[in-house]
Amino acid sequence: VSNLTIKNSTFKNCYANHLIELCAVKDATITGCKFSGFKAASSDKTGDQAEAIQIDVAHKEGKTEWNGTYYTKDDTPCVNVTISGNTFTDYPVAIGNHHSLAGHHHSNVTVTNNTISGTTAQNSGIRMYGWDNSVVSGNVISNYGTGIKASASNSFMIQSNTIDKGTYGIINTDSSSGQIVGNAVSNMSNQGINVYGAGTKASLISQNIVTNGGTNGIKVNASANSDTISSNTISGCDNGMYIYSSAVVTTIKSNNISSCNKYGVYITEKASVKTLSKNTISDIKKNGIYVKNNKIKIKFKSNKLSKVGSTAIKIDSKFSKKKKQKYTFAPKVVSLNLAGGNMTTQASNLKKIKIKVGKKTYTKSTKAKNYTFYFKKYKKKAKTATVTFTDKNKNTVARVLDLE
């Protein structure tokens, strides 16, 4: 079928199956429709394979029909499909498919500006399985196990979606050259954004906002890789970012990470992260940056940390018997006497110290591990003082002292 348009229609009360199935379709548009009323079969109460709109390949595998016997099984996928401006209520999967056939992927699928609501026990709001050169953008998704899942797909964009309440916000697995940009993910119990699996690549993860993302705001693991993770805002997770299990990331930069129960950025288990720079990390209970057993030497510079644990930055990696990278930046104020005009500090790898009280700022350059900082006596009453330590890599750690 080609040149198909379905619009402004209502589909409901389907028993254990799809409301619309697109199989081997070219140039199709579905817009302005409403979908609801799924009824589960007793044999499959989750309805895992019941998409409201299924996008499928005309294929037969042995005696198993992927779709109805009324299709010619010539392995034709769908091309140029647009699904836009529809409303889906309580369907196990709103849009997608559960098969992928190598060499016969769907292409140029566009899913935009749909409203999708379900229950967290259900599967995925949108499930991209074998979609190439496709775009999922501007959708509002709530109460799904996974908001959007991309599997076995290539050169796709997941952009500007709003995903609330679920287990996972966005999953990218067994896919390549995907971009995850500008999404708002909130109130997940497990992961905000999860990229995993050998051969999986998210070339860009950028400008996403993850709030209360569960265990990890952004997680890259299980030999997956990403070129750039940048300009994301992450808050209210156990770890802001978790890179581990032989994952490969070239650059992590300019992210804003706050209010984490464990680590701001945690890199471990033979991951390979090359550069970590210009990130702002605050209100972290443990280390702001913790790198353990990174597979390569990491360049970490110009990161701004505040309200982090006693050890702000810790690098503890071993590449071979002879090569390793160890670094600790755990600056602290031992004592402060404003009226007497002196402060004692302790820090390794130090380059500069700055103290700000009220409108007064004093700065000293020093490499001393134990240092007494003298400044003009401050006789006014002050509630707090901020001491900022700068290390030799231009990373800064701000300690806010309560003086009351």
Side-chain angles (χ1 to χ4, degrees):
V1 175
S2 61
N3 300 313
L4 170 70
T5 299
I6 302 172
K7 65 180 181 179
N8 302 332
S9 301
T10 298
F11 300 85
K12 62 183 181 180
N13 300 333
C14 181
Y15 177 73
N17 218 310
H18 316 295
L19 289 167
I20 296 176
E21 179 168 354
L22 302 178
C23 182
V25 172
K26 181 180 181 182
D27 300 325
T29 298
I30 301 174
T31 184
C33 298
K34 295 181 179 180
F35 301 85
S36 63
F38 175 76
K39 298 182 182 297
S42 58
S43 59
D44 181 17
K45 292 183 179 181
T46 64
D48 180 60
Q49 296 186 359
E51 299 87 358
I53 299 176
Q54 177 174 236
I55 300 170
D56 212 354
V57 179
H59 178 71
K60 182 177 182 180
E61 197 164 289
K63 294 183 179 180
T64 303
E65 302 277 354
W66 277 20
N67 20 66
T69 56
Y70 39 84
Y71 291 113
T72 300
K73 300 304 184 291
D74 59 0
D75 294 343
T76 300
C78 293
V79 181
N80 301 334
V81 174
T82 298
I83 301 170
S84 179
N86 303 286
T87 301
F88 300 81
T89 305
D90 290 340
Y91 230 84
V93 179
I95 303 164
N97 51 310
H98 49 273
H99 295 119
S100 174
L101 185 62
H104 300 273
H105 284 188
H106 309 296
S107 61
N108 299 321
V109 178
T110 302
V111 178
T112 61
N113 301 322
N114 300 282
T115 300
I116 301 169
S117 59
T119 69
T120 53
Q122 292 172 331
N123 196 290
S124 301
I126 299 171
R127 184 163 57 192
M128 310 162 63
Y129 204 169
W131 296 14
D132 294 350
N133 302 307
S134 296
V135 176
V136 173
S137 69
N139 301 284
V140 177
I141 303 169
S142 61
N143 289 307
Y144 272 89
T146 302
I148 300 170
K149 184 175 182 179
S151 303
S153 299
N154 303 297
S155 301
F156 58 87
M157 172 73 80
I158 298 173
Q159 183 176 31
S160 302
N161 300 282
T162 300
I163 304 169
D164 184 42
K165 297 177 183 176
T167 306
Y168 299 90
I170 297 171
I171 290 178
N172 177 16
T173 183
D174 299 324
S175 302
S176 66
S177 301
Q179 297 188 40
I180 303 170
V181 179
N183 302 282
V185 177
S186 58
N187 301 313
M188 297 296 134
S189 62
N190 202 317
Q191 319 285 339
I193 297 172
N194 189 15
V195 179
Y196 69 92
T200 299
K201 181 176 182 179
S203 55
L204 179 65
I205 304 172
S206 184
Q207 300 176 34
N208 301 286
I209 300 173
V210 179
T211 307
N212 299 328
T215 307
N216 303 292
I218 296 176
K219 178 180 176 182
V220 183
N221 69 109
S223 301
N225 72 85
S226 177
D227 292 332
T228 304
I229 303 175
S230 68
S231 303
N232 300 283
T233 300
I234 302 169
S235 62
C237 307
D238 286 343
N239 301 304
M241 289 189 193
Y242 188 28
I243 316 297
Y244 86 115
S245 187
S246 300
V248 178
V249 178
T250 304
T251 302
I252 298 173
K253 68 177 182 179
S254 303
N255 300 282
N256 193 317
I257 300 170
S258 63
S259 303
C260 294
N261 294 322
K262 294 182 179 179
Y263 305 103
V265 177
Y266 186 23
I267 302 166
T268 188
E269 291 187 22
K270 296 183 179 181
S272 297
V273 177
K274 187 176 181 179
T275 302
L276 180 67
S277 66
K278 298 181 180 180
N279 299 285
T280 300
I281 301 171
S282 63
D283 195 15
I284 309 298
K285 290 188 177 180
K286 294 186 177 182
N287 306 59
I289 297 171
Y290 186 26
V291 182
K292 185 177 181 181
N293 293 329
N294 195 40
K295 200 172 181 180
I296 60 174
K297 187 175 181 179
I298 188 170
K299 296 178 182 177
F300 56 103
K301 61 182 180 179
S302 303
N303 297 287
K304 295 175 64 176
L305 295 83
S306 62
K307 297 183 181 180
V308 297
S310 57
T311 302
I313 301 173
K314 186 174 180 63
I315 314 293
D316 185 11
S317 297
K318 188 175 182 180
F319 320 126
S320 66
K321 290 182 178 180
K322 295 182 179 180
K323 294 182 179 181
K324 59 186 178 181
Q325 183 182 23
K326 291 187 178 293
Y327 187 94
T328 300
F329 193 43
K332 69 178 182 179
V333 177
V334 178
S335 65
L336 172 63
N337 184 349
L338 291 179
N342 63 81
M343 175 177 65
T344 302
T345 62
Q346 189 177 83
S348 299
N349 299 305
L350 188 61
K351 184 178 181 180
K352 184 170 65 176
I353 304 172
K354 179 175 73 174
I355 179 171
K356 183 178 181 180
V357 185
K359 295 181 180 180
K360 298 291 184 179
T361 300
Y362 309 97
T363 303
K364 294 288 179 68
S365 296
T366 179
K367 295 181 180 180
K369 182 176 181 180
N370 298 289
Y371 184 69
T372 301
F373 189 137
Y374 294 99
F375 52 89
K376 188 176 180 179
K377 295 178 181 179
Y378 191 87
K379 296 183 179 180
K380 294 181 180 180
K381 188 175 181 180
K383 293 182 178 181
T384 62
T386 301
V387 181
T388 302
F389 299 86
T390 303
D391 74 358
K392 59 186 181 181
N393 297 310
K394 298 182 180 180
N395 299 291
T396 61
V397 176
R399 304 292 195 193
V400 179
L401 309 178
D402 188 352
L403 303 178
E404 292 187 325

